[in-house]
Amino acid sequence: MEVLAVVMLAVFAAGYLVLAGADIGVGMLLPWLGRGQEERRVVIASFAPFFLGNEVWLVAAAGIAAGAFPGLEHHLLAGLFPLFVGLLLAWVVRDMGLWLRGRVDAAWWRGVCDAAIVAGSWGLALVWGAVLGSVAVGGGEPGVNAGAVLGLPLAALFAVHGVGFARLRSSGAVLERARRVPAGYGVSAVALAGVAVAAGARLPLGESVSSGTALAATALVTAVLLPLLVAAQALVWWTFRGRVDSPSYL
């Protein structure tokens, strides 16, 4: 059961980085991909159907950590607490910009929300990069933050991943801009998944693993949940498989 729990944690963590990394990357490049309010609405529409579903993978990963590795949460929070605070703030700012953007039909309001989306997306990319780098270098130990400098190159990887996603989903002038960067969605997806696995390999999972019913229940429930989540994700991707050429409700 311990091996199954580790595999499930790796799958859900990597799944989050690959899927949510796309909308984070697009948000980072919003001012460049979309020149003007209408184009930016189209850019946001490219990932609007996906971003909430993508976050479910992170929630599931956190649930696995809490159920199967109860000491892991304390270990990471103790070592990287400032980074997780920054992560939460960036997440709130980014999602606030997305949800509130269409609530007021005024150019200045959309501009403020666009700034929140860009700032929050950059914050998420940089802080996730710092978290993953710190874990990969020091295993998330308190005071071991040398890996935080990897935040910049990993943020660049998020941006490249966003360009790859934009090449798949956008059209017109937005697509032409995205094509200026030679970015393949599949290549960046493999790279992000590899980063997640490499960082996870440095975590002290054996020292924090649960025992008995909690471990078995967490491993089995997530193993059952995985194909359902994959099927739901595939359905969303199939439903919104076409290129976006008009704004959404955001």
Side-chain angles (χ1 to χ4, degrees):
M1 287 300 175
E2 180 179 345
V3 173
L4 179 59
V6 171
V7 171
M8 289 295 100
L9 180 59
V11 169
F12 279 99
Y16 167 76
L17 286 181
V18 170
L19 295 170
D23 56 70
I24 291 172
V26 173
M28 294 167 69
L29 302 176
L30 180 60
W32 175 68
L33 288 171
R35 309 288 175 83
Q37 291 294 327
E38 287 304 307
E39 283 191 358
R40 289 176 187 173
R41 290 187 69 192
V42 174
V43 172
I44 293 172
S46 69
F47 66 83
F50 307 103
F51 79 97
L52 284 179
N54 295 341
E55 292 172 351
V56 172
W57 291 75
L58 179 60
V59 174
I64 297 170
F69 307 99
L72 183 61
E73 180 182 359
H74 174 75
H75 173 81
L76 290 175
L77 286 177
L80 305 173
F81 183 76
L83 291 178
F84 282 107
V85 170
L87 187 66
L88 181 60
L89 290 174
W91 195 349
V92 170
V93 169
R94 195 283 297 261
D95 282 19
M96 179 184 67
L98 287 171
W99 282 114
L100 298 180
R101 193 179 192 279
R103 297 297 185 265
V104 178
D105 189 15
W108 69 268
W109 176 259
R110 293 186 186 278
V112 170
C113 291
D114 287 348
I117 294 169
V118 175
S121 298
W122 273 95
L124 284 170
L126 288 168
V127 178
W128 270 125
V131 168
L132 293 168
S134 296
V135 171
V137 172
E141 291 290 340
V144 181
N145 296 310
V149 297
L150 294 176
L152 284 175
L154 288 178
L157 179 57
F158 277 106
V160 170
H161 194 51
V163 172
F165 182 82
R167 288 162 65 99
L168 293 176
R169 291 278 294 158
S170 59
S171 60
V174 176
L175 177 59
E176 289 304 314
R177 293 186 196 104
R179 282 177 172 168
R180 295 174 190 172
V181 180
Y185 182 82
V187 175
S188 55
V190 171
L192 282 170
V195 169
V197 173
R202 294 281 292 152
L203 290 172
L205 298 178
E207 301 173 9
S208 57
V209 66
S210 183
S211 60
T213 305
L215 177 62
T218 302
L220 291 176
V221 167
T222 51
V224 172
L225 176 64
L226 178 60
L228 297 176
L229 189 55
V230 170
Q233 199 84 37
L235 178 61
V236 173
W237 275 76
W238 175 257
T239 303
F240 298 97
R241 62 190 179 277
R243 293 186 179 276
V244 175
D245 56 9
S246 60
S248 70
Y249 58 93
L250 295 178

